[in-house]
Each structure stands twice: as structure tokens, then as C-alpha cells.
Amino acid sequence: MSEKTPLAKINITEIMAMIPHRYPFLLVDKITEFEEGKNIVGVKNVTFNEPQFMGHFPENPVMPGVLIIEAMAQVSAVLVAATINARKNEKLVYFMSIENAKFRKVVQPGDSLIIKSTIEQNRATVWKFSAVAEVDDCVVAEATFTAMVKDRV
């Protein structure tokens, strides 16, 4: 991904080549927009058959906020991996901090969570992002993340 033009999509197979997460903890289904070194847009389709809904408000299933944050972080990790051309899990992206997390609306089965992440800063192996999650063009969550890239051992 050495060109500076946006890519239309990154599919699930390519995502799994970039980050180590797997079912049931892989929380990004596809990337619909990507601009190397700048920003990314990912999609998480929320379905009732996901394991968290068995115990998280089963009569009124709501996606846990911590999983929304994790989905935002995974989309951000794909942005890093795609930007530095990391493939086959040669690099790992680790959370360092989460700041200013806000939850605006609930996310329920049937929703498509649209996650937008932008690189705010990159110094050597440390990256800072701002991310927003939306459903039907309404912001449901937002946060700022800091992460570190390390070689996979």
C-alpha cells in the first residue's frame, strides 16, 4: 500500500492478515475507506448471535461500550498496519491509553457501526488517533487512543 490514494476496501481476509484478533473478538468486518498515514473507515455489523448478548441485557441487548471502544481500536490498528505495510501479523499494535471516551447512544443488534479513525500524531512507534463510531449518521461513541507498535515475538 505504498500509493497515497484511498483504497476502496480492505476485506476481512486482509484484515486478519494485519491484526491478530479472531472470532469472537474480531470486531471489524470490513474497511470501506483508507488513506495511508491519514484515516480509515471500518464497519462492524452488530448481530444478535454475538456472545456478549447472552448476558449483556438479554431482554434488551446493547453492545457493551468497552466492545465499541475495542472495535474503534481494531480499526485504528488496521490503519497502522496498512500504513506501515505490516502483513501476516509481523507487527502488533498495543493500547497505551484511552482518553475522552464518550458514549452518546446505544448500539443494538441490527446496527451497522461505522468507525472513523484519524491519525493525530505519530512519533516512531507511538501513534495517537481520534476515533468516532456512528450508527445511521449519528455519533454513538468517540475517543482518543494512543498505541505502540512492536515487533511480533
Side-chain angles (χ1 to χ4, degrees):
M1 300 194 203
S2 58
E3 295 180 10
K4 296 288 182 187
T5 57
L7 298 176
K9 293 183 179 181
I10 299 175
N11 68 35
I12 192 66
T13 305
E14 294 169 308
I15 290 167
M16 290 191 307
M18 292 182 205
I19 63 176
H21 306 81
R22 298 294 180 264
Y23 178 84
F25 211 67
L26 180 57
L27 300 174
V28 56
D29 295 319
K30 65 182 176 180
I31 301 300
T32 58
E33 297 176 34
F34 163 73
E35 189 170 357
E36 181 180 312
K38 294 188 179 183
N39 54 48
I40 195 166
V41 178
V43 177
K44 162 63 177 140
N45 292 308
V46 181
T47 62
F48 184 72
N49 61 346
E50 295 175 49
Q52 69 268 14
F53 294 124
M54 290 177 20
H56 195 261
F57 306 169
E59 299 301 316
N60 184 24
V62 175
M63 185 173 184
V66 68
L67 294 182
I68 297 170
I69 293 290
E70 178 63 27
M72 293 163 57
Q74 288 181 19
V75 168
S76 299
V78 172
L79 174 55
V80 171
T83 294
I84 65 173
N85 261 336
R87 298 289 181 174
K88 299 191 187 339
N89 296 318
E90 66 190 26
K91 303 277 186 187
L92 293 174
V93 181
Y94 292 100
F95 258 140
M96 292 175 64
S97 70
I98 305 166
E99 300 172 59
N100 302 316
K102 294 181 176 73
F103 302 96
R104 308 278 185 205
K105 296 184 183 256
V106 298
V107 176
Q108 298 177 302
D111 288 341
S112 288
L113 195 60
I114 308 301
I115 302 161
K116 301 173 182 178
S117 182
T118 302
I119 296 171
E120 297 295 328
Q121 191 173 61
N122 171 227
R123 291 192 178 140
T125 61
V126 177
W127 300 67
K128 187 170 189 173
F129 311 90
S130 61
V132 174
E134 300 175 347
V135 172
D136 296 330
D137 295 321
C138 292
V139 173
V140 297
E142 59 189 282
T144 302
F145 304 98
T146 304
M148 178 179 285
V149 178
K150 303 217 34 132
D151 288 335
R152 186 178 181 113
V153 182

